[in-house]
Amino acid sequence: MRYMALIYGDSALQAAMNEAELQAQMAAYNAFTEELTRRGGRVGGEALHPTTAATTVRVREGKVLTTDGPFAETKEQLGGYYLLKCENLDQAIEIAAMIPGALTGSIEIRPIVEWE
């Protein structure tokens, strides 16, 4: 089964990191990605630019409306994702707990709909 692991964190904490902290975080993500790939559980994944680069699109009464930034003000923002291949939800939870962002933010796991 495939799962999406959405990585949420506080972008203010990220922005406050010094160079050594950023490098340590990147090394932790690289190690996690290599381990996930070695296990055969990585289908894909990417980091996202900060919410300052986001654009939200809505259609109201036939008009396209765009707004800079995310749709809602929240303490945690979506920073990236992994697309996982797992046996079941328990395995997806085990893997999500290994994602470095789980230490300071949260990981949302959502099953992927498998269309037939």
Side-chain angles (χ1 to χ4, degrees):
M1 184 159 200
R2 294 181 305 151
Y3 291 88
M4 180 72 73
L6 303 165
I7 304 164
Y8 290 93
D10 186 338
S11 59
L13 291 176
Q14 179 83 14
M17 287 182 166
N18 63 39
E19 187 62 30
E21 292 168 325
L22 288 170
Q23 288 180 3
Q25 182 183 56
M26 202 52 158
Y29 269 101
N30 288 338
F32 169 75
T33 302
E34 288 174 17
E35 176 62 16
L36 186 58
T37 301
R38 186 190 67 73
R39 289 183 177 198
R42 180 173 178 255
V43 178
E46 296 293 339
L48 301 174
H49 285 279
T51 57
T52 55
T55 301
T56 299
V57 177
R58 298 175 190 83
V59 178
R60 301 293 184 269
E61 298 176 10
K63 294 182 182 178
V64 176
L65 307 171
T66 61
T67 316
D68 291 340
F71 179 73
E73 292 295 322
T74 61
K75 288 186 178 186
E76 293 184 329
Q77 296 82 32
L78 179 62
Y81 68 92
Y82 282 95
L83 185 55
L84 310 173
K85 185 171 86 178
C86 303
E87 298 284 327
N88 51 42
L89 179 59
D90 289 336
Q91 186 181 37
I93 291 169
E94 175 190 338
I95 291 169
M98 297 168 52
I99 297 174
L103 295 172
T104 57
S106 61
I107 311 300
E108 178 184 346
I109 302 169
R110 301 213 19 212
I112 303 290
V113 175
E114 301 290 348
W115 300 104
E116 294 183 29

